[in-house]
């Protein structure tokens, strides 16, 4: 039995296409069976803290050097790391904002990724991600449509950062595009027609 972590990062609530697409992915996974729990983390309803001067200091420590104050300052970070440990499948919904991921999703990544926690170095000083067996489904909503020749910064960035700092390489991306076009009608079934399980 598998556990799903569903990350929502659009501020548009029930109007959000990335939330609807990521929720449709979760629904399909649940319908397919073999799912134990679904944990939802809405990054807009409970926003991640921004890394500030004091908390950044804790991020540079190795886990052995943490003290009681570290645990207070890293409380959010530790909670989301625990959620990642528990999850087999992570479904991430994000709007495209200026070719990139949403601000709360970036803040979540900045809290999540930590040396000695989400990645470590082996004897040859190669980075080894700690979440190698997990799968990510990425649901991206954009007002425009992909233009031939324009790099897909958003999913390329997310794939690279997950690979380098968590070890996750299995990332399947689904896009809902053209959401600001007049008369736009979402067709989630069509987008997820070829979804792999
Ligand atoms: C600040 C801002 C920046 C945006 N940047 C882009 C962009 O770079 N490319 C694009 O296609 N759409 C862009 N959009 C449109 C959103 O991607 C689109 O409205 C999308 O549906 C939002 O996701 P959501 O429905 O999950 O909230 C932008 C919208 C806002 C408010």
């Amino acid at each position: 039995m598998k556990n799903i972590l569903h990350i929502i990062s659009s501020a548009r609530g029930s109007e959000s296409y990335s939330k609807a697409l990521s929720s449709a992915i979760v629904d399909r996974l649940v319908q397919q069976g073999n799912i134990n729990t679904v944990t939802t983390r809405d990054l807009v309803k409970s926003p991640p803290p921004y890394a500030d001067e004091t908390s950044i200091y804790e991020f540079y420590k190795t886990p052995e050097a943490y003290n009681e104050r570290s645990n207070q300052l890293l409380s959010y970070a530790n909670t989301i790391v625990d959620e990642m440990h528990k999850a087999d499948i992570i479904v991430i919904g994000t709007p495209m904002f200026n070719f990139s991921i949403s601000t709360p999703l970036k803040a979540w990544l900045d809290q999540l990724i930590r040396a000695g926690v989400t990645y470590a170095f082996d004897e040859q000083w190669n980075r080894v991600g700690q979440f190698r067996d997990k799968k990510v489904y990425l649901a991206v909503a954009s007002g425009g449509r992909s233009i031939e020749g324009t790099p897909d910064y958003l999913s390329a960035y997310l794939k690279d950062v997950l690979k380098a700092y968590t070890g996750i390489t299995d990332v399947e991306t689904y896009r809902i595009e053209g959401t600001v076009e007049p008369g736009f009608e979402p067709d989630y079934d069509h987008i997820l027609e070829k979804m792999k399980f």
Side-chain angles (χ1 to χ4, degrees):
M1 297 290 273
K2 295 190 170 178
N3 298 313
I4 298 177
L5 173 61
H6 181 195
I7 307 287
I8 295 165
S9 74
S10 164
R12 298 192 326 115
S14 59
E15 298 287 301
S16 162
Y17 294 109
S18 62
K19 180 179 175 183
L21 181 58
S22 58
S23 300
I25 292 171
V26 171
D27 289 348
R28 274 169 174 71
L29 290 165
V30 170
Q31 278 158 22
Q32 189 73 10
N34 202 29
I35 299 299
N36 189 28
T37 60
V38 178
T39 302
T40 303
R41 179 158 284 276
D42 188 323
L43 304 181
V44 174
K45 283 191 182 147
S46 27
Y50 284 171
D52 61 13
E53 195 179 355
T54 34
S55 63
I56 284 173
Y57 179 73
E58 301 299 332
F59 273 77
Y60 283 105
K61 283 185 183 170
T62 53
E64 308 81 64
Y66 294 155
N67 54 27
E68 207 175 306
R69 176 122 177 90
S70 316
N71 292 331
Q72 280 167 15
L73 289 165
L74 294 170
S75 136
Y76 180 91
N78 289 338
T79 301
I80 61 170
V81 167
D82 287 348
E83 285 175 353
M84 283 292 285
H85 273 297
K86 190 176 158 214
D88 305 287
I89 302 169
I90 302 104
V91 182
I92 301 175
T94 184
M96 177 183 282
F97 273 11
N98 299 318
F99 285 178
S100 191
I101 60 174
S102 70
T103 306
L105 184 58
K106 178 61 166 58
W108 177 80
L109 281 172
D110 292 346
Q111 291 288 318
L112 177 73
I113 290 165
R114 206 177 341 151
V117 176
T118 61
Y119 67 95
F121 291 96
D122 67 13
E123 281 163 12
Q124 282 74 45
W125 206 241
N126 297 311
R127 223 187 283 112
V128 184
Q130 303 299 299
F131 295 142
R132 291 185 296 283
D133 297 332
K134 300 183 191 298
K135 167 148 192 161
V136 167
Y137 290 91
L138 176 61
V140 184
S142 60
R145 293 179 185 273
S146 329
I147 301 163
E148 212 179 317
T150 306
D152 177 3
Y153 300 105
L154 191 161
S155 65
Y157 160 72
L158 213 49
K159 276 183 191 168
D160 278 355
V161 81
L162 289 172
K163 184 178 169 190
Y165 295 125
T166 73
I168 298 174
T169 53
D170 190 355
V171 181
E172 207 170 302
T173 302
Y174 294 95
R175 295 184 181 78
I176 178 154
E177 298 187 315
T179 63
V180 298
E181 290 169 1
F184 177 77
E185 289 287 346
D187 186 347
Y188 301 106
D189 287 338
H190 179 63
I191 295 167
L192 298 177
E193 222 167 38
K194 295 192 176 121
M195 181 174 151
K196 297 185 205 105
F197 294 95

